Amino acid sequence: MKIIVTGGAGFIGSNFVHHAVAHTSSSFTVLDKLTYAGNLASLEGLPADRVRVVQGDICDAALVDELVRDHDAVVHYAAESHNDNSLDDPRPFVDTNILGTFTLLEAVRRHDKRFHHISTDEVYGDLELDDPNRFTETTPYNPSSPYSSTKAGSDLLVRAWVRSFGVRATISNCSNNYGPYQHVEKFIPRQITNVLRGERPKLYGSGENVRDWIHADDHSAAVLTILERGVIGETYLIGADGEKSNREVVELILTTLGQPSDAYDHVKDRSGHDLRYAIDSSKLRTELGWAPRFADFEAGLRATVEWYRKHEEWWAPQKDATEARYAAQGQ
Ligand code: NAD
Ligand code: TDX
């Protein structure tokens, strides 16, 4: 197959291209605007005869139409992805996440191509810390932030294009990813690189907020599974039973790097900060037979710490500007 990967120079998209090159015989066209979050270094080492990069905007209807016409499928990762940025300046989130998805949907409708939409568990809002329930495919949408509301809007567009126009699309909503090539603005890489630079990790508020962690490579395997065997029109939740409080994660990073487990600071909380996310991925596991390989979060985190230790040249160029932005926000 010839597959377009939007946002393929970002964190999860680049992990997907590496995974899919190794596990399929397809060829891939990365369509990426190369915003601050896109990095061609994340695609180094891939075979040039199977991976090509087109720098462009998913809101560019003419470019999108030309590319979609010439491919079999689109896997759609491109997004503005950081909650904190969406609180500071929501406009690019509306443009890319909503209008960009609309532009892609119109092209796959015109050319009758397979579409897989990458989304997030954040569309379901948050859970109490002691709620015995987890998110499922039937949990009502209740997004909290400008980021998650634009992702929710894009999911609803995909559902409408399936029902109204018969577009051959599937959707997946995944929990928090960690692994190589994640931008240093995000929680885990920010704290790892802080410790590597002799700075203290920064916990928003109490640090009791819970995220459900999955390794990006497990996310990629799940997406390939859905692309190959998913039922058109269906939504699949992706998660690896990796619930941890932010404080627990910071303590693990500190001890992995030989520091005292309490060598962190509490900083200003995020406005509207979601308390807890938790995914029930039974549907994907029972109906499509997927299971995570990185079942041990601590081992996966140690490998990720090691990756950042060995790849300072990948993250260092973005670190100072990212920390300057946080400092200006009191975080
Ligand atoms: P990221 O910010 O690391 O990467 C986003 C990529 O999209 C970048 O390469 C950027 O240049 C590109 N991009 C942005 N706007 C674009 C545009 N208008 N046209 C073309 N390319 C554009 O994000 P990520 O963390 O890799 O997330 C990828 C997808 O996965 C997003 O849709 C996100 O909502 C979803 N997701 C992320 C997580 C997570 O934990 N990071 C969890 C669940 C779902
Ligand atoms: O310095 C920090 N300190 C801190 O305590 C940062 C950057 C974050 N946090 C907290 C906020 C969250 O509770 O850590 C948690 C994780 O934060 P982020 O990495 O910003 O992720 P989150 O807001 O949970 O969203 C992520 O998962 C779902 C991705 O960024 C989204 O794209 C995805 O949809």
Side-chain angles (χ1 to χ4, degrees), residues 127-136 243 276 278-280:
L127 298 161
E128 294 298 327
L129 292 179
D130 60 356
D131 191 331
N133 297 307
R134 298 187 291 171
F135 299 138
T136 72
E243 281 188 70
R276 171 175 163 239
I279 285 267
D280 178 347

Side-chain angles (χ1 to χ4, degrees), residues 11-12 79-84 93 119-123 145 147-148 151 174-177 182-191 194 201-213 245-247 250 265 267-270 273-277 322-323 326 331:
F11 163 44
I12 310 180
E80 286 292 336
S81 68
H82 194 37
N83 274 299
D84 292 325
F93 289 75
S119 191
T120 168
D121 57 0
E122 296 192 21
V123 298
S145 73
Y147 162 68
S148 53
K151 290 298 292 187
C174 190
S175 62
N176 282 61
N177 283 225
Q182 187 168 29
H183 195 281
V184 289
E185 71 186 354
K186 301 297 195 314
F187 176 58
I188 287 182
R190 183 182 186 204
Q191 314 311 345
N194 273 5
K202 313 280 184 228
L203 272 180
Y204 291 175
S206 69
E208 294 309 309
N209 304 61
V210 168
R211 294 296 181 265
D212 188 353
W213 294 99
S245 74
N246 294 338
R247 189 175 43 73
V250 157
D265 294 328
V267 294
K268 196 176 83 180
D269 206 354
R270 175 183 283 171
H273 196 174
D274 279 343
L275 195 50
R276 171 175 163 239
Y277 307 136
T322 303
E323 287 306 318
Y326 278 125
Q331 292 178 318

Side-chain angles (χ1 to χ4, degrees), residues 80 82 85-86 89-98 147 150:
E80 286 292 336
H82 194 37
N85 295 344
S86 82
D89 180 15
R91 176 71 205 217
F93 289 75
V94 175
D95 289 342
T96 289
N97 300 359
I98 297 187
Y147 162 68
T150 58

Side-chain angles (χ1 to χ4, degrees), residues 105-162:
L105 284 168
E106 284 293 81
V108 294
R109 167 158 90 105
R110 258 191 310 276
H111 299 292
D112 186 25
K113 305 291 181 173
R114 176 82 171 84
F115 188 74
H116 181 69
H117 179 64
I118 304 294
S119 191
T120 168
D121 57 0
E122 296 192 21
V123 298
Y124 301 114
D126 60 353
L127 298 161
E128 294 298 327
L129 292 179
D130 60 356
D131 191 331
N133 297 307
R134 298 187 291 171
F135 299 138
T136 72
E137 286 78 5
T138 57
T139 302
Y141 274 36
N142 188 26
S144 316
S145 73
Y147 162 68
S148 53
S149 60
T150 58
K151 290 298 292 187
S154 67
D155 293 8
L156 298 181
L157 290 179
V158 178
R159 290 183 182 191
W161 262 242
V162 170

Side-chain angles (χ1 to χ4, degrees), residues 203 207 210 243-253 297 301:
L203 272 180
V210 168
E243 281 188 70
K244 289 266 180 282
S245 74
N246 294 338
R247 189 175 43 73
E248 288 175 290
V249 173
V250 157
E251 288 173 354
L252 269 169
I253 291 169
F297 173 74
L301 185 65

Side-chain angles (χ1 to χ4, degrees), residues 214-254:
I214 182 173
H215 195 281
D217 196 59
D218 282 332
H219 186 181
S220 298
V223 169
L224 263 191
T225 303
I226 297 166
L227 207 54
E228 285 162 5
R229 301 200 291 279
V231 177
I232 298 302
E234 291 293 310
T235 291
Y236 298 91
L237 264 54
I238 307 174
D241 301 331
E243 281 188 70
K244 289 266 180 282
S245 74
N246 294 338
R247 189 175 43 73
E248 288 175 290
V249 173
V250 157
E251 288 173 354
L252 269 169
I253 291 169
L254 282 163

